Amino acid sequence: MEDDSEQTYVKLVSAEGTEIFLEKRIALQVDTMRAMLEGNFRESEESVIRFPDISDSALEKVVRYLHYKDRHANSTSRIPEFPIEPEEALELLVAASFLNC
C-alpha cells in the first residue's frame, strides 16, 4: 500500500478529460482541493480530482496561477502582475470562486 507522503502529485482532470499533474503541496494550498484530498472522499484515496465544469484552458491557467502564487509567496520584492487576458477573465473568475483560491 502506498503511503500518502509518497504521493507527491495530484492529477487534475478538466471537463474535456485533459490531465494536469500538480504537486500535492501546492494543491493543499487551495481550500477546495485540500478538503477533497484530506477528507473522506474518493479524491483522497486516488489523488485524482475531476473538474467537470472547468475547461482545459481555465484549469491550465489556474495551475499556472497556483505555481505563480507559490513561487512568490515569501517574496520581499515587488511581485510581477499575473497575466490574464480579458476573454479569459469570466471563466477564471468562476473557477477561482469554486476553488476558493
Side-chain angles (χ1 to χ4, degrees), residues 31-96:
D31 293 342
T32 302
M33 290 188 205
R34 182 176 55 248
M36 292 174 159
L37 293 169
E38 291 182 342
N40 191 18
F41 298 100
R42 178 175 68 185
E43 292 84 359
S44 66
E45 295 173 13
E46 299 175 353
S47 287
V48 176
I49 303 176
R50 291 167 182 78
F51 297 105
D53 297 324
I54 300 178
S55 70
D56 291 347
S57 60
L59 188 57
E60 181 180 340
K61 193 76 167 191
V62 166
V63 169
R64 286 183 185 186
Y65 172 74
L66 294 175
H67 281 283
Y68 163 89
K69 184 179 172 184
D70 183 65
R71 181 175 49 247
H72 296 292
N74 297 319
S75 180
T76 56
S77 61
R78 187 168 191 268
I79 298 172
E81 187 173 311
F82 184 77
I84 296 175
E85 298 301 319
E87 58 272 9
E88 301 173 307
L90 182 58
E91 188 176 15
L92 290 174
L93 181 63
V94 171

